Amino acid sequence: MAKRILLSALVNVLGDFVDGLTEENLAVGVWSGKIVLNHVQLNRKGIEKLNLSVTVEHGFIETLEVTIPW
């Protein structure tokens, strides 16, 4: 249940910029404060909205790890 809530929050925050956020590629260590995303694809149109000085044709994130200090 906590994983679904976290996934929903991540989709709200990152959904414009990455595709493929699912429970299968999300690992959560609640007590350790560690969140790991594996194998998500960059969303080119979402990245373009940031008006960066780079052009993204395609890309993916192999591993994104975030640690939340409790």
Side-chain angles (χ1 to χ4, degrees):
M1 172 131 170
K3 193 173 188 178
R4 285 189 194 143
I5 294 170
L6 179 60
L7 180 62
S8 177
L10 287 172
V11 168
N12 286 335
V13 173
L14 299 175
D16 289 344
F17 309 110
V18 295
D19 294 324
L21 291 173
T22 64
E23 285 190 45
E24 288 79 33
N25 59 12
L26 175 64
V28 180
V30 175
W31 301 116
S32 67
K34 188 178 283 190
I35 301 168
V36 180
L37 284 173
N38 291 305
H39 310 293
V40 291
Q41 187 172 5
L42 293 176
N43 181 336
R44 186 175 58 132
K45 293 188 188 256
I47 301 293
E48 287 174 356
K49 290 179 186 178
L50 296 174
N51 293 321
L52 300 173
S53 60
V54 297
T55 302
V56 175
E57 290 297 321
H58 71 281
F60 73 97
I61 299 171
E62 181 70 30
T63 302
L64 174 66
E65 185 175 315
V66 178
T67 303
I68 302 169
W70 295 110

